[in-house]
Amino acid sequence: MIGFINIGSKEMVLLTLGLLWLIPFALIIYTLIDLFKRDFSNKSTDRILIIFLIAFVPILGSLIYLLGLRKEYPLK
């Protein structure tokens, strides 16, 4: 029993695992929002390819965009 909440260790493990799914989901949402704030004036194909990358390899695609590709495209 933890504090005044009557949950045991099994429930804490399930709660922790459930919360760990929120981190990648938030990362993907943040990446997509940031992607549409960028200026892809002459490179609309790049935006489509990045969206496909995020759609098919979500966590890795988001990290590739945020750490590597984000600096190449200025804000609108």
Side-chain angles (χ1 to χ4, degrees):
M1 187 170 86
I2 298 174
F4 63 91
I5 302 172
N6 293 325
I7 58 175
S9 60
K10 292 179 184 176
E11 288 84 5
M12 280 302 291
V13 169
L14 290 175
L15 184 63
T16 304
L17 290 176
L19 291 176
L20 286 177
W21 281 100
L22 288 177
I23 295 170
F25 184 70
L27 178 69
I28 294 165
I29 297 298
Y30 175 76
T31 303
L32 288 173
I33 290 171
D34 185 67
L35 183 66
F36 286 104
K37 290 181 183 178
R38 300 289 168 169
D39 185 24
F40 289 87
S41 57
N42 295 328
K43 302 176 182 179
S44 61
T45 306
D46 288 355
R47 178 181 282 174
I48 294 169
L49 291 174
I50 292 170
I51 290 172
F52 279 129
L53 180 67
I54 294 170
F56 291 114
V57 190
I59 297 170
L60 185 62
S62 295
L63 289 175
I64 288 171
Y65 171 73
L66 289 174
L67 298 176
L69 299 175
R70 183 176 166 187
K71 294 179 178 91
E72 294 181 19
Y73 306 103
L75 288 172
K76 288 182 182 177

